[in-house]
Amino acid sequence: MNLKNFIKDVPNFPQEGILFRDITPLLRDKEAFKYVCEKLSQFAMSVGATVIVGPESRGFIFGCPVATNLNLGFVPIRKPG
């Protein structure tokens, strides 16, 4: 699956010079979202993860299903400031 088809570039958002990557099309597509969560789960399992840590806010979105898939705990991490 080509995940680039589900990620939209939004230039100059939220300010000039920033390229924002919009993942809402990926979240909207159940097969793409499932695929990403499965791939992340496979990676976490391959490195012997004992807990899943997700930085806000995208880490919250993907970290929780990965933790659930692997029957592990989830720790949300806030960005500084």
Side-chain angles (χ1 to χ4, degrees):
M1 177 174 296
N2 186 353
L3 296 175
K4 290 182 180 181
N5 294 334
F6 299 96
I7 301 171
K8 304 294 181 195
D9 291 343
V10 182
N12 301 313
F13 180 82
Q15 61 188 9
E16 188 71 29
I18 302 287
L19 178 60
F20 178 74
R21 308 262 189 207
D22 180 13
I23 63 166
T24 54
L26 186 144
L27 299 175
R28 183 175 44 239
D29 187 282
K30 65 183 179 184
E31 294 302 322
F33 183 69
K34 181 179 178 180
Y35 177 83
V36 169
C37 291
E38 287 174 354
K39 289 297 183 182
L40 289 171
S41 297
Q42 289 170 5
F43 173 76
M45 194 167 36
S46 76
V47 297
T50 57
V51 67
I52 302 300
V53 177
E56 66 177 314
S57 61
R58 293 174 182 179
F60 294 1
I61 294 169
F62 293 103
C64 289
V66 170
T68 300
N69 287 347
L70 300 178
N71 198 33
L72 296 175
F74 175 75
V75 178
I77 302 292
R78 296 278 183 197
K79 296 174 186 171

